Amino acid sequence: MRVAIFPTCLGDAMFPRAPIATVRLLERLGVEVAFPSAQTCCGQMHLNTGYADDGLDLAATLVDAFAGYDHVVGPSGSCVGSVRHQSADIARRRGRAAFADDLDDLAGRTHELSEFLVDVLDVVDVGAFFPHRVTYHATCHSVRMLGVGDRPTRLLDAVRGLRREPLAASDECCGFGGTFALKNADVSSAMGSDKARHVVNTGAEVLVAGDASCLLHVGGILSRQQAGIRIMHLAEVLASTEDEPALVATP
Amino acid sequence: MTASGRHPGTIGAGEGALHHPDVDFPHAAATALADSQLRANLGHATATIRDKRAAVVAEHPHWHGLRAAGAGIKDDVLARLDVHLEELERQLQAGGATVHWAADATEANTIITELVRATGATEVVKVKSMTTQEVGLNEALAAAGIAAWETDLAELIVQLGDDAPSHILVPAIHRNRAEVRQVFLDHMASAGIAAPADLSDDPAELAAAARTHLRDKFLSAKVAVSGANFAVAETGTLAVVESEGNGRMCLTLPDTLISLVGIEKVVPTWRDLEVFLQTLPRSSTGERMNPYTSFWNGVHPGDGPQDVHVVLLDNGRTDVLADTVARQTLRCIRCSACLNVCPVYERTGGHAYGSVYPGPIGAVLTPQLRGIDTPLDKSLPFASSLCGACEEACPVAIEIPDLLVHLRTKIADEAPRYDLQKAAFKAMKAVLGDPDRLARAERGTAVARRVLSRSGRVAGLPVLPSWTTTRDVPDLPERSFRAWWAARADVDGVDGDAGPCAPGEGS
């Protein structure tokens, strides 16, 4: 089984904790992970802003980099969602049918982290230890594009020491939305503030989600509010063990 | 003028609307967000209706099948719209109705104004209708000296308050009952029977005041104007579904009935209603069945209106039909489920969308009907975080996020060559499209981290005020994933640049 990590450009540049934890977790579970470094970005931000051809050119870096791998694993519902449910359709609309077939082939091999763990590795208890109160935000694209369902919470609930507090309106959008956060900054902030309020109300120490982008947005608001709540990617929690605990430092 | 010969800009924002085509969605939204009463009213109302809908959808054993059937029926209609419309025309005429065709808002308003004038009436009663709002019929009738009275309770509140509708189904959703009481006390008298001087904000009292006011209109009106939820081609039947009974009054009491119907409202057979009469009430009001469903086909001597007219309206719909990707927009049955679940709509309300069609469906429908020319209409497809809640709730499975991206692509394709944002995204692509450039940029990030903040946390950045006004900039990482991987590979003594062809990959 040839497995490649797809850290995503955001994870690579701005939130490397998530892909690093993904590599450590998968290796702990006995998976040999490769990082084909020709990959850069899935092109989602360009596609979603209307720059279809530029976005598809970026997606092409993934097609080349992941050729020959049985499975591609990304710690992001949003970027995996774009690979699986967006780029091929747009390629067909732009008249790039052969490339769309390549994207379809890649889509069939690409998994969000919780899907890969539960569906491919058939594991729910990953042997993690994380003695903290957490709450989980179900990111939009993981829920509504990919349909990850309860996989992330099943994985979390199997972590020893972890106490999961229910989050009100858990699957309501946090307001990030890529360029939406900048183009409609006021609405985005209003949505994010409501999400942050729900998170604070849980009394959790840590907000967990499967997308770095949403975490950075809500985390930025929690930090500004000095809420004392840390953000962590699902992969970081699952990578944490007694021997190698994840640090829950000051937020 | 567009290819179909219509004048763009004919989709109204409703009477009393304050919107301006030069004010884009983000600026209009900022005004709405600052209104805490509006935020409270909307938050309460959308949460209530969302929960009701969720309950009656969850209990239905065949919801997904109904949803697929509804989408399928509409897609079949749209694929052969001309055939179904001609059949509808034949059957309506056979029943004694007169059929008119309106290419745009101006034509529709002219036809209806002339029909009312021919009766000699100076006022008409109206059934709640989105198409008549779309064409600005009330304003056109007023210009001709004809008063059009809205008889739906929420439309009455909007009309009396010289306000604009902010929701497809619940046009006064932005008002609470204290505000409604004040509107009735201030404005009912000038429009007919006054509200009682001791009116309270008790919902039953408010409804009673409206009933007394409207009953006078129903009993005196000679002409009614309606829309239609569905038009059945095989039987020539129009249908209106409603909750208050005001529609039934308008459809049965006056001598003349004029209905303005969008051409996409046609369904081929009577049996098709089986699907929509289940999905529409559950999606719109959260009820299993709506209280009043009225059907009429043509004229029945001695029973109901004796002069029946149907105006079939294009007004941009054939332009939508011509776009094979966006065509599915015309499946919409105007239920408002997408508005009620939309986190953007919930916080801004409908007025920010500058159209009688607000919310997610408005963000795709309005620019297609009106054309993507003004700053407002160019901003509407971006008024979404693409969270997908709308598509999930849609009873005819319209892929709204996908259509929003499709419209964004149209806007980007048509942008000037030297557009600032286009240049920025080109520059970003140049970095993101090349692993070496990306790695260099990531090393720059690490430098920026040291320069900007000793702690790694950045509270304010002059270049990104739209982010930093409410959010801290993320802690910048010490090194990228790419750098971590390369360093680890060096320690392990393997090639960090592992690809499928490189030996020793995946250390």
Side-chain angles (χ1 to χ4, degrees):
Chain A
M1 184 166 75
R2 296 165 61 81
V3 177
I5 178 146
F6 166 37
T8 79
C9 67
L10 186 82
D12 178 10
M14 295 293 286
F15 208 87
R17 288 150 48 187
I20 290 171
T22 302
V23 170
R24 290 193 168 135
L25 169 66
L26 293 179
E27 289 179 349
R28 192 178 80 220
L29 295 171
V31 178
E32 197 175 301
V33 183
F35 171 58
S37 67
Q39 63 173 305
T40 55
C41 166
C42 66
Q44 181 187 195
M45 191 169 63
H46 283 76
L47 294 175
N48 281 349
T49 313
Y51 301 110
D53 297 322
D54 291 337
L56 292 174
D57 289 346
L58 291 171
T61 68
L62 303 194
V63 170
D64 295 340
F66 295 131
Y69 285 95
D70 302 314
H71 300 285
V72 176
V73 184
S76 164
S78 195
C79 303
V80 169
S82 182
V83 171
R84 284 245 295 271
H85 296 287
Q86 184 178 44
S87 39
D89 284 350
I90 293 179
R92 286 204 175 82
R93 279 177 213 157
R94 302 304 272 195
R96 296 167 70 172
F99 178 48
D101 291 343
D102 292 342
L103 287 165
D104 275 338
D105 176 69
L106 175 62
R109 294 179 283 128
T110 305
H111 315 267
E112 184 271 341
L113 175 63
S114 73
E115 295 176 318
F116 183 72
L117 294 171
V118 175
D119 300 343
V120 179
L121 298 185
D122 193 23
V123 57
V124 170
D125 182 351
V126 297
F129 174 70
F130 192 73
H132 299 280
R133 292 172 77 190
V134 310
T135 194
Y136 175 75
H137 164 55
T139 62
C140 297
H141 291 174
S142 71
V143 173
R144 283 179 283 270
M145 271 182 121
L146 297 176
V148 299
D150 63 359
R151 290 176 185 84
T153 48
R154 281 165 64 202
L155 288 160
L156 283 174
D157 291 346
V159 173
R160 275 179 307 112
L162 182 143
R163 186 167 143 198
R164 184 166 63 86
E165 306 292 346
L167 177 64
S170 156
D171 62 356
E172 185 175 297
C173 180
C174 70
F176 174 66
T179 41
F180 176 78
L182 300 175
K183 278 180 170 285
N184 282 280
D186 293 329
V187 186
S188 169
S189 296
M191 291 161 68
S193 300
D194 287 344
K195 179 64 71 180
R197 178 167 49 81
H198 290 312
V199 171
V200 169
N201 287 346
T202 66
E205 302 160 71
V206 181
L207 168 65
V208 179
D211 272 278
S213 52
C214 311
L215 282 171
L216 289 173
H217 165 69
V218 182
I221 292 171
L222 290 169
S223 166
R224 177 62 56 88
Q225 295 175 345
Q226 302 188 310
I229 298 172
R230 188 189 160 105
I231 53 166
M232 287 179 78
H233 193 281
L234 175 68
E236 295 179 85
V237 175
L238 298 180
S240 174
T241 60
E242 274 110 330
D243 293 340
E244 287 183 90
L247 289 175
V248 182
T250 49
Chain B
M1 295 273 281
T2 65
S4 64
R6 99 200 131 81
H7 294 271
T10 48
I11 311 301
E15 280 179 276
L18 297 172
H19 103 280
H20 192 281
D22 288 335
V23 178
D24 64 14
F25 182 84
H27 286 90
T31 310
L33 287 165
D35 184 341
S36 55
Q37 182 64 61
L38 175 69
R39 292 271 296 274
N41 294 354
L42 281 168
H44 175 72
T46 53
T48 305
I49 200 162
R50 226 168 27 219
D51 291 347
K52 278 182 75 179
R53 176 203 162 270
V56 295
V57 164
E59 72 176 14
H60 199 293
H62 305 298
W63 184 257
H64 293 292
L66 278 178
R67 193 167 173 260
I73 291 167
K74 286 285 186 178
D75 283 352
D76 285 351
V77 166
L78 295 171
R80 299 195 305 145
L81 190 57
D82 53 339
V83 175
H84 296 302
L85 285 171
E86 285 175 1
E87 173 70 2
L88 175 68
E89 180 181 39
R90 271 193 298 278
Q91 295 304 327
L92 282 167
Q93 287 168 340
T98 308
V99 177
H100 311 260
W101 297 86
D104 58 22
T106 309
E107 270 190 37
N109 289 332
T110 305
I111 291 167
I112 295 172
T113 304
E114 290 307 316
L115 287 171
V116 178
R117 270 199 180 131
T119 68
T122 55
E123 55 178 45
V124 302
V125 285
K126 284 190 66 200
V127 186
K128 177 170 166 33
S129 146
M130 293 310 299
T131 35
T132 61
Q133 291 188 0
E134 175 187 322
V135 300
L137 177 66
N138 289 8
E139 294 87 335
L141 289 174
I146 299 161
W149 301 113
E150 295 290 348
T151 66
D152 171 86
L153 178 55
E155 291 290 0
L156 176 70
I157 295 164
V158 168
Q159 184 175 40
L160 290 174
D162 194 24
D163 200 352
S166 67
H167 190 280
I168 290 174
L169 186 83
V170 200
I173 194 169
H174 55 291
R175 297 288 199 190
N176 64 22
R177 62 197 205 187
E179 294 172 295
V180 172
R181 169 182 174 271
Q182 203 57 50
V183 167
F184 282 7
L185 285 172
D186 292 348
H187 301 292
M188 257 188 183
S190 61
I193 293 179
D198 61 347
L199 182 69
S200 79
D201 67 357
D202 174 53
E205 272 192 50
L206 295 172
R211 190 173 287 126
T212 305
H213 180 86
L214 289 171
R215 189 60 56 115
D216 181 55
K217 305 282 186 209
F218 294 135
L219 294 176
S220 60
K222 300 293 179 207
V223 180
V225 175
S226 81
N229 292 98
F230 307 100
V232 182
E234 70 171 358
T235 55
T237 308
L238 299 190
V240 160
V241 298
E242 45 136 355
S243 298
E244 297 168 15
N246 64 300
R248 181 69 56 80
M249 292 280 200
C250 294
L251 297 169
T252 52
L253 291 175
D255 301 326
T256 300
L257 173 59
I258 305 165
S259 304
L260 180 64
V261 183
I263 52 174
E264 83 285 15
K265 293 292 172 196
V266 64
V267 294
T269 70
W270 182 256
R271 192 169 171 184
D272 296 325
L273 295 176
E274 174 197 353
V275 172
F276 299 112
L277 292 181
Q278 292 185 78
T279 51
L280 179 54
R282 284 176 198 258
S283 301
S284 55
T285 51
E287 295 168 303
R288 295 178 181 125
M289 188 178 171
N290 49 287
Y292 295 89
T293 304
S294 300
F295 298 110
W296 70 100
N297 54 342
V299 177
H300 299 265
D303 181 12
Q306 297 299 296
D307 191 15
V308 173
H309 296 268
V310 179
V311 183
L312 294 169
L313 176 73
D314 182 344
N315 204 35
R317 285 161 177 75
T318 47
D319 291 346
V320 183
L321 191 67
D323 182 335
T324 52
V325 175
R327 177 181 291 177
Q328 55 170 298
T329 314
L330 297 177
R331 288 181 198 157
C332 176
I333 55 173
R334 311 283 189 265
C335 72
S336 314
C338 63
L339 278 62
N340 301 328
V341 299
C342 176
V344 176
Y345 176 87
E346 181 186 337
R347 286 164 184 86
T348 65
H351 292 164
Y353 295 81
S355 161
V356 296
Y357 301 115
I361 190 64
V364 292
L365 181 60
T366 303
Q368 293 189 72
L369 291 179
R370 202 153 59 183
I372 313 176
D373 300 312
T374 64
L376 171 64
D377 290 331
K378 283 180 185 165
S379 72
L380 288 177
F382 294 90
S384 166
S385 64
L386 305 178
C387 82
C390 47
E391 177 178 343
E392 193 176 56
C394 178
V396 284
I398 301 173
E399 296 158 308
I400 295 176
D402 196 34
L403 298 184
L404 289 165
V405 170
H406 174 67
L407 293 177
R408 293 176 185 189
T409 307
K410 277 192 167 182
I411 292 168
D413 285 348
E414 289 162 17
R417 200 169 155 197
Y418 298 107
D419 178 75
L420 187 64
Q421 182 182 280
K422 191 182 252 183
F425 272 76
K426 281 278 180 209
M428 245 188 301
K429 180 197 161 191
V431 175
L432 287 175
D434 181 327
D436 297 330
R437 283 193 200 132
L438 179 58
R440 280 200 292 279
E442 287 168 349
R443 287 196 288 276
T445 304
V447 174
R449 176 181 190 269
R450 289 193 289 277
V451 171
L452 282 167
S453 160
R454 274 179 212 145
S455 71
R457 180 174 303 124
V458 187
L461 270 183
V463 292
L464 269 182
S466 55
W467 181 276
T468 56
T469 304
T470 56
R471 295 162 282 213
D472 283 348
V473 171
D475 297 1
L476 298 174
E478 280 178 58
R479 62 179 174 183
S480 66
F481 174 83
R482 200 173 288 272
W484 172 81
W485 183 276
R488 193 173 81 135
D490 285 345
V491 170
D492 292 353
V494 293
D495 180 7
D497 204 336
C501 301
E505 59 166 319
S507 60

